[in-house]
């Protein structure tokens, strides 16, 4: 492999991965708290750090990610989710039912779109690895709701949620189960994400956002660059490896 990159591959084919990716992003969100906003700029970063019970596959269908199986009664008013065991948070705690319950109930309270999708009921702990919700009205598409990034039902430690109370989460409280963890957020400058070495993927091959999302790059720097020309120039010069929201008229460059 070339300097500054690592190699991986099989069948005699090597894939080269840079140690660091530099990304020029066109907007900076007001918060990275996944439960309080549906802003695209928030969830594009957060999806690297957090996971949900379900993630969307390449066809847009919900697939179990942090749960391993689920079931519902005939009229879809009671759902039970069996969690994967051994999934670790980025603070070293194992994910259990209390964390899922605290996360999803906070999500229902903070996110108006989520509550419209699930108008009644709260999630309850059955035991360490089982969670259920009982509803007054059927919710036929609950797995779809729980896999939708537009209202991201991210799973965090219960201890973090309890400590935050009614306040938005600070950067040191943004702890998930995903392949990257927050290292720093310098307002008006950048966010740095670091590879989470203890990430526990589900066994499925990656499809869309679902499956094995193990990181291949150690560090991602996401720079907030609001000027379109600056993003393009940085991409052409090699300052940025990836740039968002390039003008259509500049695609040929």
């Amino acid at each position: 492999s070339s300097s500054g990159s690592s190699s991986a591959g099989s069948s005699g084919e090597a894939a080269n991965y840079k140690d660091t990716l530099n990304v020029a992003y066109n907007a900076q969100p007001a918060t990275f708290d996944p439960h309080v906003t549906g802003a695209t700029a928030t969830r594009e970063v957060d999806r690297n750090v957090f996971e949900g019970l379900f993630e969307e596959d390449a066809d847009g269908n919900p697939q179990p990610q942090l749960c391993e199986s689920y079931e519902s009664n005939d009229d879809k008013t009671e759902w039970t989710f069996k969690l994967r065991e051994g999934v670790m948070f980025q603070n070293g705690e194992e994910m259990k039912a209390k964390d899922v319950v605290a996360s999803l109930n906070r999500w229902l309270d903070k996110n108006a779109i989520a509550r419209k999708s699930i108008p009644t009921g709260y999630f309850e702990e059955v035991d360490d690895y089982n969670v259920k919700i009982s509803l007054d009205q059927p919710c036929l598409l609950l797995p779809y709701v729980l896999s939708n990034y537009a209202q991201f039902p991210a799973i965090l430690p219960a201890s973090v949620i309890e400590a935050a109370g009614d306040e938005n989460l600070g950067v040191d409280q943004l702890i998930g189960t995903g392949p990257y963890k927050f290292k720093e957020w310098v307002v008006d400058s950048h966010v740095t994400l670091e590879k989470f070495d203890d990430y526990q993927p589900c066994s499925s091959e990656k499809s869309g956002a679902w499956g094995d999302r193990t990181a291949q790059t150690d560090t991602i720097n996401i720079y907030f660059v609001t000027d379109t020309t600056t993003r393009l120039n940085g991409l052409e010069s090699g300052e940025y490896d990836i740039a968002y929201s390039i003008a259509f008229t500049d695609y040929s460059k």
Side-chain angles (χ1 to χ4, degrees):
S1 62
S2 60
S3 177
S5 65
S6 59
S7 293
S10 60
S11 303
E13 296 182 3
N16 293 327
Y17 301 102
K18 296 189 70 174
D19 291 333
T20 301
L21 279 177
N22 295 311
V23 180
Y25 198 78
N26 56 297
Q28 177 177 230
T31 178
F32 288 106
D33 188 332
H35 294 155
V36 302
T37 178
T40 302
T42 298
R43 64 180 186 257
E44 289 287 354
V45 175
D46 280 355
R47 66 191 305 169
N48 299 286
V49 176
F50 301 103
E51 296 177 301
L53 289 186
F54 295 84
E55 300 288 351
E56 290 185 358
D57 65 18
D59 296 320
N61 296 315
Q63 302 290 349
Q65 185 80 11
L66 293 180
C67 66
E68 66 177 40
S69 62
Y70 64 100
E71 61 183 15
S72 68
N73 60 359
D74 290 341
D75 66 1
K76 308 299 183 185
T77 58
E78 185 168 294
W79 294 78
T80 303
F81 307 91
K82 180 174 176 54
L83 307 181
R84 289 169 47 211
E85 299 186 23
V87 176
M88 304 304 295
F89 284 113
Q90 294 149 0
N91 63 356
E93 298 176 10
E94 183 187 1
M95 181 199 72
K96 293 188 176 180
K98 61 182 175 61
D99 306 299
V100 173
V101 168
S103 298
L104 295 182
N105 287 342
R106 180 179 189 265
W107 167 70
L108 286 173
D109 285 337
K110 294 282 187 181
N111 192 302
I113 298 175
R115 187 41 103 181
K116 286 182 179 179
S117 301
I118 308 173
T120 63
Y122 280 97
F123 291 86
E124 304 173 50
E125 180 180 349
V126 177
D127 55 38
D128 279 351
Y129 297 104
N130 285 277
V131 171
K132 74 173 184 178
I133 185 169
S134 299
L135 307 169
D136 293 340
Q137 304 171 19
C139 187
L140 303 178
L141 302 179
L142 186 56
Y144 283 88
V145 175
L146 293 174
S147 69
N148 193 335
Y149 276 111
Q151 66 275 339
F152 190 11
I155 304 302
L156 297 88
S159 57
V160 167
I161 292 171
E162 291 164 4
D166 291 331
E167 301 297 320
N168 288 357
L169 300 175
V171 69
D172 59 332
Q173 296 173 306
L174 298 171
I175 296 169
T177 60
Y180 285 95
K181 57 184 179 180
F182 277 94
K183 181 180 180 181
E184 66 176 358
W185 176 17
V186 179
V187 176
D188 297 326
S189 175
H190 68 277
V191 160
T192 297
L193 307 179
E194 280 187 332
K195 180 179 178 180
F196 176 38
D197 290 331
D198 292 326
Y199 173 66
Q200 301 293 321
C202 67
S203 58
S204 300
E205 184 176 347
K206 191 172 185 300
S207 172
W210 168 60
D212 186 347
R213 304 168 64 203
T214 301
Q216 303 296 341
T217 293
D218 291 336
T219 304
I220 302 177
N221 294 313
I222 302 170
Y223 295 95
F224 306 118
V225 184
T226 57
D227 181 70
T228 303
T229 302
T230 303
R231 292 196 300 276
L232 177 64
N233 290 343
L235 191 63
E236 291 186 301
S237 70
E239 181 180 1
Y240 306 124
D241 301 295
I242 299 168
Y244 278 67
S245 195
I246 298 299
F248 179 75
T249 53
D250 291 327
Y251 275 15
S252 60
K253 295 182 180 181

